[in-house]
Amino acid sequence: MESGEEFGPWLGRQLRRRNMTQAELAAEVKVTRAAVSAWITGRAQPRPETVRQIAEALSTDLGTVYARTTDAVPAHAVQWYHRPAHSDGGREFGNAAAFAFEADLRVLAREATQNSLDERHDPTQPVRVRYTLHELTGEHRRAFLQAMQWESLKSHYAAAAASDQKVGRALVEGLRELEDSETLLLLRVDDYNANGLTGPEYDDGRFAAVVRRQLDSHKVDNRRAGGSYGLGKATLWATSRLGLVLINSTLSVPHEGRTERRLIGRLDLPWREVDGEAYAGPAWLGEPDAARGYEGVSRSWWGIQEETTALHLERESDDPGTSFLVVAVHDAAAVAAGDDGLHAMHEKLVDSLADDFWAAMTDTASVPPLLKASVRTLRNGTELIPETPVSPDQRKPALARALRAYLAGETVDVLGVRTDVALRTVTLNVPPLRAEGKAVGNTAHEAVLLVTPADDQDRTHSEIVCMRGNRMKITTQRPRDLGFGVEPFQAVLLAGFATARDGEDVSRAEAFLRASEPPEHNRWEWTEELSVAYARGAKRRLDEFRASTADALRAVVGNRAVPSAGIATELLRERLRFTQSPVAGRQGTRRSRGYPVVDDVDGEVDSTGAWVLRVRVAVPPSEDAWRLSPVPRLGGGRTGAGAAVRWADLTVTENCSFDGDVLVIAPGVRYAAFTGITDPDTHPVDTGMANIGVDVHKAEEGAKRA
Amino acid sequence: MGVATRHLNRAILSGTEHPPQVALLRAAQPIADPSPRWDTGPVRVLLDQAMARYATDRAAADAWLAPRLHATLRLTRGEAADKGLWAYLALVVAPDYVLWRHIPTGTDESRRAAVVQAARFAGANSVQAFARLWWAAEMFRDGADYRPVEVACSNQDVLNTALRLDIMEHRPTAMAVLRVLQQLTAGGAPRPGDQVNSLCRAIGIAGSTLMYETLGPDQLPDERELLLWIDEADSAPPAPWERLPDGPDDGEVPAASVAALTRLFENINEHLGQLRDRRGVATGV
Amino acid sequence: MNRTIYPYPVLRGRTDVEVTRVRLDGVELEFAGIGISQRTVALAVAGRDEWQEAAIEIRAELPETEIADGPWSELVCVAVLEEAATNVRTVHRLTKDRGSGTWQGTVRMARSRHHSRAGLRVQVVATVGGIPGRRIGGSESDWVLDLHAKAPQREQESPAVVEVDFRDGPHSWLRPMKDAPWFVDTAGGDMPVVYLNQAVEGLTTLLSGKGGPAAKATAALAGAKIESDVWEAMFHAAVGDVEADEEGRPRMPTGWRESVLQTMLPDVLPGLSPSDAIVEFSARREEGYGWAELQSRVQYAAALRAQLPKQLANAMRATVRPEGEDR
């Protein structure tokens, strides 16, 4: 019986499709029900003559049963199944999580990518994620809506939108957008080299965790090892205006003997009444189930290429992993529409991934990254913005440099040049578990602190990014007392598995730190779990760890304390510090100018070698007229004050008059402009050999044109 | 330095009183380096000789003294930037020389009221009696060759202005300016010092657009030669009186650079000449 | 302040320069000595004082696209190292790095040719309109290479504060002022020095401000008074050092003197630009008119700078008794 699908799962599906029970088949082929059950679960195989009888019972030929590359029983049409409301009449206002989350592509990218990272399949290879924005219009849009059976959903959406809950209002908005605009925007989130949605349809496993569980279970601990698709998955539904996501998964472990194209759709709507029937919560797109207790419920089906293509869910390879298609994706912060809007969303995804996963994406020539990510944008199947690989250096160049230097073993002891990365080890004393008893002592774990000068473009700096696990950022630490005028730096603390080492101390530290995290995984602190699982003093170990980290950092970047004189002297010295130091070429800012200045000069050299200058003078408003001497000055600047030269001609442009060479500006005027032509006979050098500027001084009495 | 100015008063500046030697010596910071180059004896000898030689033309002492002072007081520029050193020389070692060289001469009437500028004792390096000579020697020497120093220091107009000008910090520029000065002097130009000062100002102005350092590049001085020469102060014989001493052989000014800049400066000077001709008066710019 | 224009095209875009690495006699200076934000290198960071040569690696970024399209040829970028105190200006050519497009090079700084703080900048020079050696651009602000600093701090040195016994201490010239609580000495070197008299019992304790709010306010007030004296002394010292330029106009001094004058002159002589104010100030000093009034204005400006009015108000508030204002 060597051929396509395994016999058991294949037979089980044929029975389901015929609405035939195991007992009915047993009666037809004259075996016990237990025997049929044994075939289906793979514990036994039917004899050849029985196989012939099975073929007859299924009204098919023998070849089909042996080959099992096709189904003997035509599938029940894939359709949407809406969960009926509880019979007690309680109204669930839909799935809070899906709509309570602000639709934010940044959050989506963070949560979905972290899930992919947690679900990495082959630990020697990176998990690859790709985000695809796809805008559909016209025929493409129509064909897609038809493939996902939009018509059958309309009445449910209309009913749900009628509710005046917040959810309903959001839906009204989404529906109107869908009706009014000629476009539909899809966001596909693919991962490859990930585990995929394995496990049974309804019982515990990755599939059920994503597809069947309530989305808003706050008790679910998101971020635990083994990746359980917790709260984070809700962000997928939250970014769909319709609360609708289609899924295609390639499994790393076969289910029903198959791995490719496990398809399902799920939408989440609030309580609604359609054609007199009340519905609450989710609906699923899939094959109607025949199994007892689940009759009519849509279950995942093994699709064919035509289906995945029509649903825009075809995957690029048979590498395991999952594709989520968020239908009518939106971002609450988006302002622009059309091409600008698409570009903005594309950029936001790239930036978000670069911001949150620089560490996982960092590699060296010999060490692969944990994660590779890219973003692309399509319109009606053709590329609008080419695939953009996300680089760890894009947003966090200095941090990525630090990590890369560590992975490549290129760190230094003392920072020399700006690209150097200093390494310090910081000891975390992991206390023994309570269960281990008193005989076991602390385990010393050498965490790694990396420090490097910050990059000019860094927006955040001078803090320690603390990581564990698959280089997941837990918290940031900002040590004090680094001394005056410390240069901006970047620092990473790698603990547990993030050290990229292995061993007893590493796994103990990883477990200890994980236990010290609250459900949000954003701190290392005292937790219930810590006090229950670990021996006394666990909290103190954490405090020591933080203090040693700060000490280590200080040793690298801290400025040496100036030998302290008397406290009075110190205080006085501090007060007398020059707060402002004029740097050559740049003037310190004054609160406001209380005196006239030349605020613009423009001009050119004419054919006689004279400068023709257009000058604007700003004066503070005054009750008296200003009498000023504008002085053209050749060759001023670094090399000296230059030489004052004379005017040959002065012409008023605006707001002033001339009394000889004296510029007179009437009371109350703030700006005056004039044109001046210099006298080349007073230029000590050829006009082309010097720069020129204009000063204004208070006129000395008697200054007249010479 | 601070102590120095505190002791400067009219009586000292006019020469009617000597500076309080004991108080100044007590206040002076001793130099830790035991090298004989800090021995002021040879400087004193040199100054006595200068006063004897130039009793009738005190200003002429500068050109004789500058190279010899430089070869006797062997310092790095970093050391020479310390104004306290020069104030010590002026107030403790040779206040008589400062008065001799800088007290205004003239009618008896004006002499009675005459005082020496305080800055000749303690002040800017372009003004202080000894610092100006040492720095002139340092900036106008061509490696070991002090001849350009003699040229620069024989013209008071040049000596008094040159040290204040940034352009002189570039040796090829300084050398080229001296070339023009020599040409003017040789050609019998009237008041060559004034002309050179005008030229220097014009060079500074043209320096707002032209970078002389790239038009006539210099080479970095040979630091080791210089330090070696300074160390040799311990064993070097005193500076000769009749011929020029040798300075540190730390590299000559590139001749091609000096030539290129000389041509440029001649052009600038020509322009100044045309201006003077056109206006019929010395512009004085 | 005043805009300057050129008789030929110059670069509009920015030129930036950065020190990337420093070696002292071949030994790398730790990065803590390179203050990028302060644009300052502290060459005494490791307490090493015996070095002879600092090799300063720098990198300059020029507006390359503008240059590519511009009328300039034979473009060179040089680093200029200068220190006025030693009349040193040395120029080092940078070379363009093909990979990064930046200009890089090593500036060699001989310790013996420098005294305290050297400036470092870049200058862009090119042939324009057939004339070689034209300045067409440069970095806007200098880097400071500080021979004596242990940490890279841009600030100018602050006035020194010395606690000393005026009567029995080492400075005999302070003896005549043995009862003065403090003395601001500007006759000294470059920076004024504040001497606090240890012979005045309790002065340093008072200034340390230990104790309640009243003690703190009193300390702040006394501190402000000293500060005000320092500013006044510095102002006079700065004005006294003003030299005339070639045209006989007073020239704005440099360093801390410029800081002091720039900040205080607008309060001393309102309505005048600092350069006009120096002219006016010098004229009044020589000719004597309005001189006394000017002294009051200097005191006023110094008091403002020292926040004396604010500290006085704070002190009055902190020491006033709750039951009454007068007695």
Side-chain angles (χ1 to χ4, degrees):
Chain A
M1 304 203 39
E2 301 303 313
S3 50
E5 195 177 340
E6 275 177 39
F7 182 72
W10 181 87
L11 179 60
R13 187 167 66 252
Q14 310 312 317
L15 292 185
R16 238 172 15 243
R17 288 184 170 184
R18 272 187 89 94
N19 281 335
M20 182 183 266
T21 64
Q22 292 180 12
E24 284 165 357
L25 179 67
E28 287 228 14
V29 302
K30 298 177 187 70
V31 294
T32 62
R33 208 198 127 267
V36 174
S37 173
W39 299 336
I40 288 176
T41 54
R43 280 179 283 121
Q45 299 282 342
R47 283 194 296 273
E49 61 269 30
T50 318
V51 172
R52 202 179 312 115
Q53 286 176 304
I54 291 170
E56 278 169 25
L58 295 175
S59 319
T60 187
D61 56 277
L62 204 55
T64 302
V65 181
Y66 275 112
R68 292 189 306 280
T69 50
T70 55
D71 283 309
V73 183
H76 286 278
V78 165
Q79 63 184 54
W80 284 98
Y81 165 79
H82 296 267
R83 193 174 78 181
H86 294 309
S87 49
D88 62 8
R91 294 183 175 190
E92 265 183 72
F93 281 102
N95 188 304
F99 290 95
F101 274 92
E102 182 91 321
D104 185 344
L105 289 182
R106 172 173 295 272
V107 177
L108 168 78
R110 186 178 66 220
E111 297 298 332
T113 309
Q114 186 62 47
N115 281 339
S116 298
L117 201 49
D118 291 341
E119 291 291 335
R120 186 156 66 122
H121 178 55
D122 175 356
T124 66
Q125 296 296 319
V127 60
R128 300 185 310 283
V129 303
R130 179 165 72 178
Y131 286 76
T132 308
L133 283 162
H134 194 172
E135 189 183 76
L136 300 178
T137 62
E139 176 55 27
H140 292 271
R141 175 171 172 273
R142 197 200 57 74
F144 173 76
L145 286 174
Q146 188 181 22
M148 61 163 268
Q149 303 181 19
W150 173 246
E151 284 301 321
S152 76
L153 291 174
K154 270 184 167 175
S155 55
H156 282 268
Y157 275 102
S163 116
D164 61 355
Q165 296 293 318
K166 183 183 169 207
V167 177
R169 287 195 298 278
L171 276 174
V172 171
E173 180 68 20
L175 288 172
R176 205 189 57 217
E177 169 128 347
L178 198 68
E179 296 299 324
D180 292 357
S181 80
E182 295 298 304
T183 63
L184 177 66
L185 187 59
L186 309 176
L187 173 64
R188 220 174 100 173
V189 184
D190 297 317
D191 61 22
Y192 293 93
N193 186 32
N195 289 325
L197 299 181
T198 58
E201 192 67 36
Y202 305 106
D203 294 332
D204 281 354
R206 293 187 178 91
F207 179 85
V210 173
V211 177
R212 299 295 178 190
R213 297 280 148 70
Q214 276 288 48
L215 297 176
D216 60 338
S217 171
H218 291 292
K219 290 188 187 65
V220 171
D221 181 354
N222 188 18
R223 289 306 140 71
R224 275 293 137 99
S228 62
Y229 287 105
L231 192 60
K233 68 184 184 249
T235 60
L236 288 164
W237 277 265
T239 42
S240 164
R241 278 198 185 281
L242 303 173
L244 199 166
V245 176
L246 304 178
I247 304 166
N248 173 14
S249 194
T250 302
L251 315 190
S252 56
V253 178
H255 173 64
E256 297 177 348
R258 298 180 67 155
T259 55
E260 268 194 275
R261 294 197 188 90
R262 187 177 193 180
L263 306 180
I264 186 93
R266 170 172 174 150
L267 64 80
D268 279 272
L269 283 178
W271 186 95
R272 65 226 177 244
E273 202 174 289
V274 178
D275 297 335
E277 294 285 330
Y279 300 93
W284 290 274
L285 177 67
E287 272 182 18
D289 205 337
R292 197 175 312 146
Y294 295 104
E295 291 88 351
V297 174
S298 291
R299 50 177 293 145
S300 60
W301 81 101
W302 299 99
I304 55 173
Q305 196 177 341
E306 287 79 53
E307 288 172 304
T308 51
T309 304
L311 289 170
H312 294 279
L313 277 172
E314 180 62 11
R315 287 170 62 80
E316 67 175 16
S317 76
D318 58 2
D319 243 18
T322 306
S323 298
F324 293 96
L325 187 73
V326 181
V327 179
V329 69
H330 76 130
D331 185 288
V335 280
D339 280 9
D340 284 351
L342 285 174
H343 274 97
M345 287 173 115
H346 183 103
E347 287 309 313
K348 182 169 184 175
L349 284 168
V350 172
D351 285 350
S352 306
L353 290 165
D355 263 343
D356 291 326
F357 296 98
W358 60 269
M361 291 188 293
T362 299
D363 61 351
T364 71
S366 55
V367 183
L370 307 182
L371 170 76
K372 281 184 175 174
S374 64
V375 180
R376 62 175 181 164
T377 298
L378 312 175
R379 174 177 288 146
N380 293 331
T382 53
E383 198 172 70
L384 189 69
I385 306 171
E387 182 151 0
T388 315
V390 183
S391 153
D393 301 306
Q394 195 168 324
R395 304 281 280 196
K396 309 277 182 187
L399 282 167
R401 176 177 70 230
L403 187 55
R404 191 171 292 126
Y406 171 67
L407 294 174
E410 289 165 355
T411 54
V412 298
D413 288 337
V414 177
L415 293 177
V417 299
R418 196 172 176 173
T419 50
D420 273 354
V421 176
L423 182 149
R424 290 285 183 283
T425 55
V426 180
T427 305
L428 167 63
N429 286 306
V430 184
L433 292 164
R434 276 188 195 280
E436 290 171 316
K438 293 213 158 63
V440 181
N442 289 339
T443 309
H445 170 62
E446 303 273 280
V448 172
L449 178 71
L450 304 171
V451 186
T452 193
D455 203 77
D456 286 342
Q457 271 71 48
D458 287 347
R459 279 168 302 179
T460 56
H461 59 78
S462 306
E463 56 185 24
I464 307 172
V465 177
C466 305
M467 303 191 141
R468 64 157 182 88
N470 47 27
R471 298 183 210 152
M472 175 168 112
K473 172 182 155 183
I474 302 299
T475 180
T476 53
Q477 191 180 332
R478 282 182 160 274
R480 293 155 196 255
D481 307 327
L482 292 178
F484 183 77
V486 163
E487 272 301 300
F489 63 88
Q490 294 289 7
V492 200
L493 180 71
L494 303 172
F497 292 127
T499 56
R501 291 198 311 259
D502 224 335
E504 170 82 6
D505 72 298
V506 174
S507 46
R508 274 181 180 266
E510 179 77 25
F512 175 69
L513 289 173
R514 204 193 308 133
S516 74
E517 291 163 15
E520 297 79 26
H521 298 275
N522 57 2
R523 281 189 300 278
W524 286 328
E525 59 177 16
W526 180 91
T527 60
E528 192 78 37
E529 188 178 348
L530 206 61
S531 69
V532 169
Y534 287 90
R536 286 173 63 83
K539 168 72 164 57
R540 200 159 62 242
R541 300 289 96 80
L542 283 174
D543 293 341
E544 288 166 2
F545 186 45
R546 188 176 305 112
S548 320
T549 306
D551 288 346
L553 177 74
R554 220 169 276 130
V556 181
V557 302
N559 275 343
R560 274 147 211 78
V562 183
S564 61
I567 184 161
T569 306
E570 276 307 305
L571 285 174
L572 207 53
R573 220 172 255 163
E574 202 54 43
R575 292 189 60 122
L576 290 171
R577 234 178 241 290
F578 277 101
T579 45
Q580 160 199 351
S581 63
V583 170
R586 194 170 53 197
Q587 289 292 331
T589 47
R590 282 275 312 157
R591 39 192 180 219
S592 74
R593 284 207 192 92
Y595 48 86
V597 288
V598 169
D599 81 339
D600 191 26
V601 179
D602 188 20
E604 58 280 320
V605 179
D606 72 9
S607 57
T608 69
W611 273 103
V612 180
L613 299 172
R614 293 172 290 281
V615 183
R616 194 167 85 138
V617 177
V619 294
S622 156
E623 290 178 11
D624 300 317
W626 285 99
R627 293 178 57 83
L628 304 169
S629 294
V631 180
R633 196 167 279 277
L634 276 187
R638 291 239 180 219
T639 46
V645 298
R646 299 231 172 101
W647 297 111
D649 186 56
L650 286 165
T651 316
V652 169
T653 311
E654 201 181 348
N655 281 351
C656 58
S657 60
F658 279 101
D659 175 10
D661 277 0
V662 174
L663 176 69
V664 182
I665 302 173
V669 169
R670 285 166 189 269
Y671 289 99
F674 66 90
T675 300
I677 300 172
T678 62
D679 176 2
D681 282 354
T682 64
H683 295 185
V685 296
D686 191 78
T687 310
M689 286 180 90
N691 63 20
I692 193 163
V694 179
D695 294 347
V696 280
H697 304 293
K698 243 176 80 172
E700 288 161 39
E701 286 318 306
K704 299 275 178 188
R705 195 176 301 185
Chain B
M1 174 69 185
V3 180
T5 42
R6 208 167 287 122
H7 287 286
L8 285 172
N9 57 36
R10 192 175 178 87
I12 290 166
L13 295 176
S14 62
T16 53
E17 252 179 47
H18 283 289
Q21 299 279 325
V22 176
L24 283 166
L25 274 176
R26 272 199 191 137
Q29 267 185 340
I31 291 170
D33 183 356
S35 159
R37 71 191 174 109
W38 301 112
D39 182 0
T40 55
V43 176
R44 188 62 240 187
V45 170
L46 213 52
L47 297 177
D48 287 337
Q49 178 63 213
M51 287 191 280
R53 280 180 175 240
Y54 297 94
T56 55
D57 185 3
R58 298 174 179 192
D62 290 349
W64 184 86
L65 184 56
R68 289 165 180 86
L69 180 70
H70 187 268
T72 304
L73 259 184
R74 299 191 177 183
L75 305 171
T76 66
R77 288 188 175 210
E79 289 162 343
D82 181 359
K83 292 175 183 160
L85 177 81
W86 303 112
Y88 180 84
L89 265 188
L91 281 154
V92 178
V93 178
D96 54 330
Y97 184 87
V98 180
L99 287 164
W100 175 82
R101 170 67 187 84
H102 292 291
I103 202 105
T105 52
T107 63
D108 287 348
E109 195 71 23
S110 65
R111 278 219 64 169
R112 205 166 303 141
V115 291
V116 171
Q117 264 182 288
R120 297 291 187 190
F121 283 95
N125 287 336
S126 56
V127 180
Q128 204 274 348
F130 301 112
R132 67 196 275 272
L133 297 178
W134 189 93
W135 279 104
E138 172 67 13
M139 294 175 71
F140 286 107
R141 67 185 172 85
D142 184 2
D145 184 358
Y146 282 120
R147 278 176 301 174
V149 180
E150 281 188 315
V151 176
C153 293
S154 24
N155 190 309
Q156 288 296 311
D157 292 320
V158 175
L159 179 57
N160 288 338
T161 5
L163 287 178
R164 297 218 299 251
L165 298 176
D166 287 352
I167 54 165
M168 296 301 180
E169 288 169 2
H170 181 229
R171 296 195 306 165
T173 297
M175 292 300 135
V177 167
L178 291 184
R179 285 265 178 92
V180 177
L181 171 67
Q182 281 174 301
Q183 288 164 14
L184 290 172
T185 314
R191 296 199 292 150
D194 276 359
Q195 285 200 36
V196 166
N197 279 350
S198 296
L199 174 62
C200 285
R201 289 203 54 211
I203 292 169
I205 289 160
S208 68
T209 70
L210 293 174
M211 189 163 196
Y212 304 121
E213 285 85 349
T214 57
L215 290 169
D218 196 1
Q219 52 189 9
L220 283 182
D222 183 339
E223 194 61 17
R224 275 180 312 177
E225 277 297 330
L226 174 72
L227 296 178
L228 204 65
W229 180 80
I230 291 175
D231 284 345
E232 280 167 7
D234 297 9
S235 53
W241 289 348
E242 302 304 333
R243 53 171 186 82
L244 278 174
D246 285 334
D249 190 11
D250 57 353
E252 286 164 16
V253 183
S257 292
V258 180
L261 291 175
T262 304
R263 277 193 301 279
L264 179 61
F265 296 164
E266 282 166 355
N267 288 340
I268 293 178
N269 200 44
E270 202 173 308
H271 177 88
L272 289 171
Q274 286 163 3
L275 277 188
R276 270 191 291 267
D277 293 347
R278 218 179 303 161
R279 301 170 64 204
V281 287
T283 57
V285 286
Chain C
M1 271 234 299
N2 57 343
R3 315 287 165 107
T4 304
I5 55 179
Y6 286 79
Y8 54 88
V10 294
L11 293 173
R12 289 182 303 268
R14 278 175 63 93
T15 294
D16 285 314
V17 59
E18 183 179 299
V19 171
T20 53
R21 184 178 186 220
V22 175
R23 282 170 301 141
L24 303 179
D25 291 341
V27 180
E28 186 140 355
L29 181 78
E30 56 185 296
F31 193 76
I34 303 177
I36 293 165
S37 53
Q38 307 265 333
R39 306 178 73 74
T40 301
V41 179
L43 290 166
V45 67
R48 285 164 53 200
D49 214 27
E50 292 302 302
W51 58 273
Q52 294 194 348
E53 184 191 71
I56 298 147
E57 294 179 20
I58 65 168
R59 184 177 62 202
E61 254 180 84
L62 273 49
E64 294 292 344
T65 48
E66 188 187 350
I67 289 168
D69 299 337
W72 306 286
S73 58
E74 293 165 63
L75 183 136
V76 290
C77 180
V78 295
V80 182
L81 175 71
E82 54 193 345
E83 183 175 1
T86 55
N87 291 311
V88 165
R89 183 169 63 245
T90 50
V91 164
H92 307 254
R93 276 200 179 219
L94 304 184
T95 52
K96 190 168 174 181
D97 176 64
R98 271 192 205 154
S100 63
T102 60
W103 294 72
Q104 302 179 352
T106 302
V107 172
R108 302 206 168 263
M109 178 185 190
R111 189 192 175 89
S112 77
R113 287 168 64 79
H114 290 274
H115 184 246
S116 51
R117 286 159 82 100
L120 180 67
R121 62 193 163 91
V122 295
Q123 178 79 48
V124 188
V125 177
T127 297
V128 195
I131 301 177
R134 290 285 209 179
R135 296 175 192 265
I136 63 164
S139 51
E140 274 177 20
S141 56
D142 291 11
W143 273 71
V144 170
L145 310 175
D146 194 322
L147 260 60
H148 306 301
K150 293 189 165 55
Q153 288 179 18
R154 184 79 201 196
E155 287 150 351
Q156 313 261 344
E157 345 159 39
S158 306
V161 181
V162 179
E163 289 179 36
V164 71
D165 189 326
F166 284 18
R167 209 185 58 191
D168 303 323
H171 302 293
S172 56
W173 59 271
L174 283 168
R175 216 156 288 156
M177 291 170 280
K178 62 186 187 323
D179 293 327
W182 61 79
F183 182 74
V184 182
D185 181 33
T186 51
D190 204 39
M191 262 283 156
V193 180
V194 182
Y195 292 92
L196 294 180
N197 193 354
Q198 286 173 329
V200 175
E201 286 172 14
L203 174 67
T204 51
T205 318
L206 169 82
L207 288 172
S208 70
K210 278 187 189 140
K216 281 199 176 60
T218 311
L221 178 61
K225 181 63 185 107
I226 297 176
E227 202 187 329
S228 165
D229 285 2
V230 173
W231 283 109
E232 195 180 335
M234 287 199 293
F235 180 86
H236 284 293
V239 149
D241 285 341
V242 168
E243 288 178 26
D245 69 7
E246 295 89 337
E247 290 171 18
R249 281 181 67 88
R251 193 207 300 250
M252 182 62 81
T254 54
W256 65 266
R257 292 174 180 83
E258 184 184 5
S259 298
V260 168
L261 293 181
Q262 293 275 12
T263 49
M264 286 176 70
L265 276 172
D267 290 321
V268 176
L269 287 161
L272 295 184
S273 69
S275 54
D276 278 355
I278 293 180
V279 175
E280 179 70 19
F281 197 91
S282 308
R284 290 208 201 175
R285 188 170 49 174
E286 275 161 33
E287 292 158 31
Y289 68 94
W291 182 242
E293 186 219 331
L294 216 47
Q295 295 311 300
S296 313
R297 301 285 315 181
V298 173
Q299 279 178 2
Y300 161 74
L304 276 190
R305 193 74 182 74
Q307 299 185 318
L308 195 56
K310 177 180 152 193
Q311 302 301 352
L312 182 62
N314 287 347
M316 286 189 299
R317 231 169 252 169
T319 52
V320 78
R321 296 206 178 90
E323 57 266 27
E325 298 91 57
D326 294 321
R327 54 197 69 135

